[in-house]
Amino acid sequence: MHKLYKILLLGLAAGILNTIPLVFLSTVWQPVTATLLHWLGLSIVIAYTRMPLESWATGMLIAALTSLPLSILLYPESIPGVLQSFGIALVLGGLLGYTSERLVQNQP
């Protein structure tokens, strides 16, 4: 399987995990779609970014920097919602960085 397909599958998995709380909280489709597309694109960025950090730390940093504005847009009047979304982004970003290095980058 091509590396890009693996990366997109990892991003799809992370996006689905992040949209599960949104499905239960909201009935509109725009935030769910935006979050899913965000993780699809973010998986490519995390997988191909090289920083002088461990792969999981790189994933956490990139996910934190890109997810904070999205969290504020999704929960404009709820500070706990922003913190919850930001926390999920940190965990998923770290997992995405770790798994993308192990499953994708170290493969021939």
Side-chain angles (χ1 to χ4, degrees):
M1 183 183 278
H2 195 266
K3 289 182 180 183
L4 185 60
Y5 295 141
K6 290 180 184 178
I7 292 168
L8 289 175
L9 284 175
L10 288 173
L12 182 65
I16 289 171
L17 287 174
N18 200 10
T19 56
I20 288 172
L22 290 175
V23 170
F24 290 117
L25 294 176
S26 126
T27 58
V28 293
W29 60 272
Q30 290 95 343
V32 174
T33 305
T35 303
L36 189 61
L37 291 174
H38 171 77
W39 281 103
L40 281 174
L42 194 58
S43 66
I44 296 170
V45 172
I46 289 174
Y48 287 109
T49 299
R50 296 291 157 249
M51 297 178 81
L53 299 171
E54 293 291 326
S55 59
W56 58 269
T58 299
M60 287 178 76
L61 179 65
I62 293 172
L65 291 175
T66 59
S67 294
L68 188 59
L70 183 64
S71 300
I72 292 170
L73 285 173
L74 290 176
Y75 305 103
E77 299 172 2
S78 172
I79 297 296
V82 170
L83 294 176
Q84 177 187 3
S85 180
F86 189 69
I88 290 172
L90 286 174
V91 171
L92 289 177
L95 286 172
L96 195 58
Y98 179 79
T99 56
S100 68
E101 181 188 21
R102 298 292 183 258
L103 296 177
V104 177
Q105 298 302 323
N106 291 338
Q107 303 264 327

